[in-house]
Amino acid sequence: MRALVIGAGAIGTVYARHLERGGADVCFLVRPGRGGDVRRGLPVTPINEGRGVVELRCPAVTSVPEGVDLVVLALPSDALAGDWLGDLLRRTAGATILLLSPGLDDRALVTAHVDEALVVQGRITAVAWRAPLPGEDLEPSLAYWVPPGAAPLWGPRAGEVAAVLDAGGLASRVVPSPPEPTGSAVLLPLVASLEASGWSILRLVSSGSLPVTARAIREALGVSGRPVWAALVRPWTLRAVLALVPWLTPFPLEAYVARHFSKLGAQTRLQLDAFIARGTRAGEETGALRALRGALVRGRADAPHLAGWGPAGAT
């Protein structure tokens, strides 16, 4: 398999490493004048394998090579806009497209240019960051951690991709239908609330903003299949989760969230807009999601206005 990775960032690097370990011939597509770090070799720290640094060496190319079998789109949702995507997919006609962008509308952007049968959609489970984070004792590198469990892949060609990733040490499983975006429905309101709270878990919890955060998550879950556990998302459960999760992650969670999602602010806003638009079309309540979106427009100083959202407050 010859794989072309679009996006030499954190997730693109993780998937490139495991595809290569699984036997694929991998290269990164970079803009002319870019890709120097890729050409010099990328230091990677796979936390699951220990804390030692390994080097990933994959060629960087500035034009689409011949004979590409797999195109990996490892980009933020907002980066998929523009004419470049259609041009790329025409140049790789017939190749399998592994879509790793998390947006609700990202698949439609891709299938506007290629047959849907060519698209394999993946849910990212790996957590990757540029190390060291503040307070972290790691060598400068791209560090990543994969939590237990296999990442779901969906699409007619998902088995081919899963086989290579599995062989490369990144557990994957084929699912019969697209996974509901419940992970994004929970994560996005939390990230937006943390951004509005200056990336401080303590400030978020103490500001009185958890009620609107909980309601925003339930609203997003309402357009994501409405799982049976959605009713359990309440301020007290969020408080418990926010107290527990930092002890379960092998990296400084607050520092990671601040660094990672500060770079992905445009994607956060785009995804919130997609949940609001989808909820509005379905006749669902979206007031708390809109309040969070407004907080990001107005800036962190307005975070306290989230407390007690709604005429009767939010619970």
Side-chain angles (χ1 to χ4, degrees), residues 126-129 133-134 251-262:
V127 181
W129 64 96
L133 292 169
F251 53 87
L253 179 65
E254 197 171 68
Y256 163 77
V257 171
R259 180 178 294 183
H260 182 72
F261 287 101
S262 290

Side-chain angles (χ1 to χ4, degrees), residues 27-145:
C27 62
F28 289 97
L29 182 64
V30 299
R31 295 177 182 175
R34 302 286 183 90
D37 290 342
V38 177
R39 295 186 181 93
R40 287 190 292 271
L42 295 170
V44 178
T45 303
I47 299 295
N48 303 76
E49 302 167 30
R51 299 171 69 85
V53 177
V54 298
E55 191 171 84
L56 173 66
R57 285 192 174 274
C58 294
V61 298
T62 57
S63 60
V64 177
E66 297 290 333
V68 172
D69 303 300
L70 175 67
V71 176
V72 181
L73 294 175
L75 296 166
S77 297
D78 54 292
L80 293 176
D83 296 336
W84 72 269
L85 180 61
D87 180 61
L88 168 73
L89 297 178
R90 283 190 295 272
R91 292 172 181 267
T92 56
T96 299
I97 311 300
L98 175 56
L99 176 61
L100 298 173
S101 300
L104 295 179
D105 301 321
D106 294 349
R107 185 181 182 86
L109 290 175
V110 174
T111 56
H113 303 287
V114 300
D115 190 303
E116 190 162 354
L118 298 176
V119 181
V120 174
Q121 194 152 7
R123 178 181 291 170
I124 300 168
T125 57
V127 181
W129 64 96
R130 297 290 175 186
L133 292 169
E136 187 175 51
D137 183 23
L138 288 179
E139 294 295 322
S141 60
L142 186 284
Y144 72 95
W145 171 66

Side-chain angles (χ1 to χ4, degrees), residues 267-283:
Q267 176 175 268
T268 299
R269 288 152 178 75
L270 185 66
Q271 290 183 278
L272 282 173
D273 289 341
F275 273 107
I276 291 168
R278 186 169 291 191
T280 301
R281 289 196 299 269

